[in-house]
Amino acid sequence: PLFPGNTGTVGTINPDLYKFLEDKSETDFPEGCLGRLWFSVEYQQDAERLLVGLIKARRLQGPSESCSPLVKLHLLPDERRFLQSKTKRKTSSPQFDERFIFQVSSKNITQRVLRFSVYHVDRQRKHQLLGQVFFPLRNEPLAGDCPHVIWRDLEAESGEPPSEFGDLQFCLSYNDCLCRLTVVVLRAKGLRLQEDTSFISVFVKVSLMNHNKFVKCKKTSAVLGSANPVYSETFSFKADPAELDTASLSLTVLQSTRGENSHQLGRVVVGPYMYARGRQLEHWNAMLSKPKELVKRWHALCPTPEP
């Protein structure tokens, strides 16, 4: 079993855990899917241990017919230490059934992000990244009597080198029936943090503007000490279709230190031709042309003039 003692008799896997896996997660794969990963997480408060069960992957897109996958697990923002699965030979649908333990204090478990990096190992033992899953631990009820089984689709690593001030990844979606504009702030990378990072926290402010006037603002939670914070937070704004010609969204990344005011690290403005060009305009137009769909993009941050 993945977690002896929690899943019924030792030596068998409790089928109740897998009941809701028989849904469409095995059959419905989006177009261009890089593969899907199943895992479980459980946090033992008393022992301050995070138990991670690596269950399986399906439909991995290896470089050839014979994919030999391996998974590395990081508990971000710690990039140095990682745990690693066994390599499965010649399969694009590996069954892992391995368990891993991270010691992590209950004080900062909600600040941590579990990252699964799935690699193909070639004959020369070189590792080729097939995709990654980021799982922020603050979003999940981790305590409880049984591990939660979760699946996520792999994301490609953005191949472009980081921009000078860092990059921000987010999704946009517009639902014209509900007049709702949705922004999912996913993550940032390569931020230029000022001073000692150990007590710096980074958050993203999302502002809806109309005719360059401020309408409404929402903020993500603050992530401590990382130049590559992961958020996965969703915000919705009311906006009539008629307002979209003059509306824009400003996403500003800010850092705050103890007792200090916040300091802007950079921002992105997406909107119609009146306010945006290039990739920012393209993202806005893609959102409008695919109603109700989440359109995901990376954007380079631009420096913001200090007030």
Side-chain angles (χ1 to χ4, degrees):
L2 289 174
F3 300 118
N6 283 347
T7 52
T9 22
V10 172
T12 61
I13 281 186
N14 180 351
D16 291 347
L17 271 184
Y18 288 85
K19 275 200 178 129
F20 56 95
L21 285 181
E22 299 312 313
D23 61 356
K24 296 183 172 173
S25 67
E26 290 278 12
T27 49
D28 283 12
F29 290 86
E31 201 182 319
C33 180
L34 298 173
R36 186 167 285 174
L37 192 69
W38 281 259
F39 55 94
S40 66
V41 239
E42 183 192 2
Y43 185 62
Q44 295 180 334
Q45 199 96 31
D46 298 343
E48 299 203 317
R49 295 196 311 175
L50 178 71
L51 307 182
V52 182
L54 180 63
I55 300 169
K56 62 184 177 182
R58 295 290 180 263
R59 295 239 191 145
L60 295 176
Q61 302 298 311
S64 63
E65 290 301 301
S66 60
C67 180
S68 295
L70 149 92
V71 181
K72 287 184 182 176
L73 294 83
H74 282 84
L75 196 56
L76 300 176
D78 187 353
E79 290 275 4
R80 291 185 308 278
R81 277 176 300 210
F82 61 88
L83 301 173
Q84 181 173 311
S85 77
K86 296 184 173 72
T87 303
K88 299 292 177 184
R89 294 275 160 218
K90 300 195 174 163
T91 172
S92 56
S93 293
Q95 192 74 30
F96 292 103
D97 292 326
E98 292 184 55
R99 52 177 298 194
F100 302 91
I101 297 174
F102 289 97
Q103 276 303 141
V104 51
S105 81
S106 52
K107 202 165 68 243
N108 71 20
I109 180 82
T110 56
Q111 286 281 334
R112 310 300 286 271
V113 175
L114 198 51
R115 180 179 73 198
F116 300 86
S117 305
V118 184
Y119 293 90
H120 161 66
V121 184
D122 68 15
R123 289 201 179 117
Q124 285 78 46
R125 302 224 173 137
K126 282 211 183 87
H127 289 182
Q128 179 181 340
L129 185 64
L130 301 178
Q132 307 187 104
V133 167
F134 290 86
F135 188 70
L137 293 169
R138 72 170 165 275
N139 297 348
E140 293 298 317
L142 295 172
D145 295 338
C146 84
H148 302 261
V149 176
I150 297 140
W151 58 265
R152 290 283 186 275
D153 286 339
L154 298 188
E155 287 180 40
E157 182 53 348
S158 143
E160 299 159 26
S163 315
E164 187 186 353
F165 295 96
D167 300 83
L168 184 65
Q169 187 189 40
F170 56 93
C171 300
L172 296 177
S173 168
Y174 185 65
N175 184 322
D176 44 1
C177 306
L178 301 173
C179 298
R180 190 171 66 202
L181 178 59
T182 300
V183 185
V184 185
V185 179
L186 291 168
R187 55 194 172 115
K189 64 173 187 184
L191 299 177
R192 289 171 51 179
L193 301 183
Q194 315 285 312
E195 315 107 42
D196 169 24
T197 58
S198 55
F199 57 84
I200 283 180
S201 57
V202 181
F203 64 96
V204 181
K205 188 168 81 175
V206 185
S207 305
L208 176 66
M209 319 287 284
N210 200 338
H211 289 293
N212 268 341
K213 288 199 174 66
F214 172 81
V215 179
K216 190 149 195 160
C217 155
K218 302 190 176 187
K219 289 176 188 171
T220 66
S221 51
V223 171
L224 199 61
S226 174
N228 305 294
V230 178
Y231 297 100
S232 297
E233 293 184 41
T234 303
F235 304 99
S236 290
F237 299 93
K238 275 279 185 210
D240 286 323
E243 295 171 342
L244 290 186
D245 292 342
T246 53
S248 63
L249 278 169
S250 163
L251 291 91
T252 309
V253 183
L254 298 109
Q255 73 164 50
S256 50
T257 47
R258 282 187 300 215
E260 292 284 322
N261 296 331
S262 47
H263 164 79
Q264 299 191 356
L265 298 174
R267 74 170 178 162
V268 178
V269 176
V270 288
Y273 189 76
M274 193 189 289
Y275 305 110
R277 295 286 186 277
R279 199 173 174 78
Q280 286 76 8
L281 172 64
E282 186 274 326
H283 195 177
W284 185 262
N285 288 341
M287 167 192 82
L288 295 178
S289 68
K290 301 177 184 174
K292 304 183 184 61
E293 235 181 83
L294 280 172
V295 183
K296 179 162 72 174
R297 296 279 187 282
W298 277 104
H299 292 276
L301 293 172
C302 297
T304 52
E306 286 292 327

